[in-house]
Amino acid sequence: TASVLNALDDNTTGSIDASSITALTGSATDLIEAVTSNGITGLGDEAITVDSGTATTAQANDLADETSGIVTATIAEGDLATLAGLTGTGNAYSITIDDAAVDAAALNTLDGKTTVAIDAAAVTTLTGAAVDLNTAFDSGGISNLSDQDVTLTDTSLTASVLNALDDNTTGSIDA
């Protein structure tokens, strides 16, 4: 664990070769301390798992910047404005959106940053272009979308696109 590695680092003035480590677990704070320590060498391609508490968006970014491995964490924030700050792709971030109104394009962008389905149960209204709305509803990476009200920003669209959107939600569509 990261806390054990940090304790070893604290107890020596020498360098710790951690190149054989393939997976590192712990709290976000302990993990960041380990992967950024000047006394610990050989890290950079291990899988990192925050298994104690959550990680903020900033902490998840810090961890992802320090490894080419997959970072697994539950993200502390739920507002899309903060979550938009997540960088990188291919990490396993558990994310629960707590905004009631969400821009579909922004939600789709966030979907591309994690391999875990985003929980959108709190979302009651989706806004955006029909293509973005349909992408969000059809994504396997976003869960609990089906009954949201929709506000379209398109100035024109085909009936088939509007029908597809209608098939994706039981909520109202404001065109």
Side-chain angles (χ1 to χ4, degrees):
T1 67
S3 61
V4 171
L5 195 55
N6 291 333
L8 287 172
D9 188 30
D10 290 342
N11 288 320
T12 185
T13 57
S15 179
I16 298 171
D17 180 1
S19 60
S20 65
I21 294 176
T22 58
L24 195 57
T25 61
S27 71
T29 302
D30 285 343
L31 288 161
I32 291 169
E33 180 182 342
V35 299
T36 60
S37 171
N38 290 329
I40 302 171
T41 63
L43 294 175
D45 62 353
E46 64 286 333
I48 294 177
T49 301
V50 177
D51 66 356
S52 176
T54 60
T56 65
T57 296
Q59 289 172 323
N61 288 340
D62 289 346
L63 291 169
D65 287 346
E66 296 295 331
T67 185
S68 60
I70 294 172
V71 176
T72 302
T74 298
I75 303 300
E77 298 92 1
D79 65 288
L80 203 53
T82 302
L83 293 166
L86 281 171
T87 57
T89 58
N91 293 304
Y93 298 138
S94 297
I95 298 170
T96 301
I97 302 293
D98 58 20
D99 291 330
V102 171
D103 177 75
L107 184 59
N108 292 334
T109 299
L110 182 62
D111 183 24
K113 296 179 181 182
T114 180
T115 60
V116 177
I118 297 167
D119 182 353
V123 176
T124 58
T125 303
L126 275 175
T127 302
V131 65
D132 294 326
L133 292 159
N134 281 325
T135 298
F137 279 115
D138 292 339
S139 174
I142 305 170
S143 65
N144 297 310
L145 287 182
S146 66
D147 62 350
Q148 285 70 25
D149 292 331
V150 170
T151 302
L152 285 166
T153 58
D154 296 280
T155 55
S156 66
L157 65 146
T158 64
S160 63
V161 172
L162 186 57
N163 287 336
L165 184 58
D166 188 45
D167 288 344
N168 280 325
T169 184
T170 58
S172 66
I173 299 175
D174 182 0

